[in-house]
Amino acid sequence: MATQYRFSFGPWNVSEGADPFGPEVREAYPHEAKYALYKPLGFEGVQFHDDDVVPNLDAQSPAQIQQKAADVKRMLGNQGLTPEFVAPRLWFAAQTVDGAYTSNSAADRQYALDRTKKCIDIAKAIGCKATVLWLAREGTYVREAKNARQAYDRLLETLNMMLDYDPQIEVWIEPKPNEPTDQAYVPTIGHAVAMAYASKDPKRVRGLIETAHALLAGLDPSDEMAFALAHKKLASVHLNDQNGLKYDQDKNFGAANLRAAFNQVRVLEENGFGSAGEFVGLDVKAMRTQKGSPVTAHLKNSREIFLHLVEKVRTYDRGLERQYVEARDYEALELYTLKHLMGVK
Ligand code: XUL
Ligand code: MN
């Protein structure tokens, strides 16, 4: 049975175009209105940060949090959408300037743990079993600033705290090697999988691989995905693209390296990713030059490229592949692959 892929994105993927060197270039599109964009674009999964569900989260009481989450759950039901995960936003508050779980301040570490519990409460309240940890500021700008060994202990304690706090919740670690920090802890999926095994319930700790993050670590995203799949630890993906070792670009899937995109789809498709309900997540940023509001072409186009590449994988000539591999004629295999991608005989 061919996998019927389901797609997700986060509301932050519909944005106003600000970058570190310039302000917004598009009119803000109301946050609450973004959810109506999903279905017409071919998406049914919503990736959330905790404060996408409950804005201004730190100022809300537990009752207010539950009420707002119930409203969002109702809205998702009405729109026919599924929440894929909720991620604690641990990089905006004053308490997270020096990191969250690995901050040198005990009070700030406590803030991070409390915020994470709120995130789990929100996930449960909207009917979602997964949290994502993108460990944004868990790392250093100056290596001497933190004790890295102690930081890894603190990250493991955090995982165990989350697993204890709720018996059903899953934690999906989204590794990234840098940005905003100079060097981040848990930079690759290998690190994330090791953390999962070291945790008190390894079955509930998995990984989410973002194309751009793997490329920033100098690694091949499809091989990173294969590693996670081999350990049954690929919970989700954030497909996008990246033009070399730069800032995190979040370009459209396939836009910088179509062949690498093909190989990501190939590893997902060959391993049945998606057949157990996993979403194909996109984490793509609209070009700043794009006019109008809301801009969504980058989401629609990335999904379309993914589906075209699924067709390319399904029509890849397996007989030829086997023949070239057996003859160790990788020149012929490469030429065939490139011609197949170009659609020429
Ligand atoms: C950051 C990134 C995040 C996570 C969710 O690079 O990818 O948007 O996907 O926190
Ligand atoms: Mn991401």
Side-chain angles (χ1 to χ4, degrees), residues 253-283:
F253 185 51
N257 189 335
L258 198 55
R259 185 179 178 187
F262 166 74
N263 279 304
Q264 289 166 70
V265 178
R266 178 170 156 265
V267 78
L268 295 174
E269 167 81 0
E270 286 178 353
N271 289 282
F273 179 87
S275 57
E278 302 96 336
F279 281 98
V280 172
L282 295 173
D283 196 356

Side-chain angles (χ1 to χ4, degrees), residues 10-23:
W12 65 88
N13 292 122
V14 177
S15 62
E16 287 80 52
D19 69 19
F21 303 99

Side-chain angles (χ1 to χ4, degrees), residues 91 134-138 140-141 176 178-184:
W91 51 93
W134 167 48
L135 298 166
R137 297 189 190 278
E138 312 293 14
T140 51
Y141 301 94
K176 181 175 176 181
N178 63 291
E179 204 203 25
T181 54
D182 176 50
Q183 295 284 349

Side-chain angles (χ1 to χ4, degrees), residues 12 49 85 87 91 132 134 174 176 210 213 238 248 283:
W12 65 88
H49 290 119
F85 65 73
W91 51 93
V132 161
W134 167 48
E174 181 180 346
K176 181 175 176 181
E210 174 162 326
H213 298 179
H238 276 179
D248 186 9
D283 196 356

Side-chain angles (χ1 to χ4, degrees), residues 107 109-119 121 161:
R109 290 198 302 278
Q110 191 56 50
Y111 165 84
L113 296 176
D114 293 342
R115 174 83 181 222
T116 302
K117 288 179 185 167
K118 287 184 194 172
C119 175
D121 294 341
M161 179 283 283

Side-chain angles (χ1 to χ4, degrees), residues 21-154:
F21 303 99
E24 288 78 7
V25 288
R26 292 182 285 269
E27 229 171 83
Y29 193 69
H31 182 75
E32 303 284 335
K34 289 180 181 173
Y35 302 105
L37 300 171
Y38 278 70
K39 277 296 184 78
L41 287 168
F43 290 78
E44 59 180 280
V46 184
Q47 307 166 17
F48 284 108
H49 290 119
D50 50 9
D51 56 4
D52 291 322
V53 183
V54 181
N56 199 14
L57 175 57
D58 287 337
Q60 309 298 311
S61 70
Q64 287 172 317
I65 291 172
Q66 287 300 326
Q67 196 189 337
K68 181 65 193 168
D71 291 346
V72 171
K73 186 178 185 191
R74 204 170 316 110
M75 176 281 293
L76 291 171
N78 291 340
Q79 302 270 1
L81 300 175
T82 304
E84 186 192 10
F85 65 73
V86 185
R89 195 191 297 277
L90 289 170
W91 51 93
F92 249 72
Q95 294 93 325
T96 58
V97 166
D98 189 30
Y101 312 122
T102 70
S103 167
N104 281 322
S105 150
D108 291 348
R109 290 198 302 278
Q110 191 56 50
Y111 165 84
L113 296 176
D114 293 342
R115 174 83 181 222
T116 302
K117 288 179 185 167
K118 287 184 194 172
C119 175
I120 295 173
D121 294 341
I122 291 170
K124 283 184 69 169
I126 63 169
C128 174
K129 69 169 183 13
T131 56
V132 161
L133 291 186
W134 167 48
L135 298 166
R137 297 189 190 278
E138 312 293 14
T140 51
Y141 301 94
V142 173
R143 222 60 70 241
E144 298 82 8
K146 285 184 188 172
N147 177 329
R149 165 65 210 272
Q150 186 182 45
Y152 275 109
D153 288 345
R154 286 178 171 157

